[in-house]
Amino acid sequence: KVGSLLTYGNGDGILIEQVGETNFSVDFLRNTGFSLLQGCRMRNTKTEFVSCPSCGRTLFDLQETTAQITEATGHLPGVTVAVMGCIVNGPGEMADADFGYVGTLPGKVDLYYGKEVVRKSIPNEEAVDSLVDLIKSYGMWKDKEEEEAEEEVAVAA
């Protein structure tokens, strides 16, 4: 319920407290709070991912590929990455993403910056690394260690 209230502008933040006998870790509570705020578009603390639901036209293992992309890019606040299984609906579904990863031919992927194709027919085995290189080329990359240090400073403050 609180998510919809925040989405409609009925609040500026949240307070999550331990209630009852269940003990949640501080990291769990912090991640839950930040995820809720990010979902309501109030605070951006991690990479946003958009993915298609998968269908018969999907040209690669969507779940495995999304997990690989999440592992490689999940520490980039303010960046949106779309992972789309095919060219049919992919570009329309990822219209608001900064970067797109779209299956185009069996074993091949196109990479997008915004709505523009910037790299075509990349073999699946090289595509995640190519996506990272693309993010770096547009100046939106931070190393994981650098991002973790900034996060620790923010939490301490």
Side-chain angles (χ1 to χ4, degrees), residues 50-52 60 62 82-87 89-91 93-94 101-103:
V50 178
S51 182
C52 69
F60 54 83
L62 192 64
V83 184
M84 300 293 148
C86 75
I87 195 69
N89 294 325
E93 291 180 31
M94 65 176 209
Y101 183 108
V102 179

Side-chain angles (χ1 to χ4, degrees), residues 8-131:
Y8 290 118
N10 295 317
D12 295 322
I14 57 172
L15 171 67
I16 299 177
E17 293 183 309
Q18 298 268 8
V19 177
E21 299 199 13
T22 305
N23 266 338
F24 295 104
S25 71
V26 173
D27 280 341
F28 175 80
L29 296 173
R30 182 172 55 89
N31 287 335
T32 300
F34 282 143
S35 294
L36 181 60
L37 292 173
Q38 182 153 337
C40 297
R41 306 282 190 251
M42 295 183 73
R43 181 163 184 178
N44 207 336
T45 57
K46 57 187 175 181
T47 310
E48 182 92 19
F49 293 98
V50 178
S51 182
C52 69
S54 183
C55 69
R57 293 185 302 258
T58 301
L59 295 170
F60 54 83
D61 184 335
L62 192 64
Q63 291 180 335
E64 180 183 327
T65 301
T66 302
Q68 292 171 356
I69 292 171
T70 301
E71 175 64 31
T73 64
H75 63 283
L76 303 171
V79 175
T80 303
V81 177
V83 184
M84 300 293 148
C86 75
I87 195 69
V88 175
N89 294 325
E93 291 180 31
M94 65 176 209
D96 295 332
D98 298 313
F99 299 95
Y101 183 108
V102 179
T104 51
L105 298 168
K108 303 284 184 180
V109 170
D110 286 355
L111 297 180
Y112 286 70
Y113 177 68
K115 297 177 185 177
E116 180 182 341
V117 179
V118 291
R119 297 187 185 164
K120 287 186 164 205
S121 296
I122 300 166
N124 283 351
E125 303 77 35
E126 302 169 15
V128 174
D129 291 333
S130 293
L131 176 63

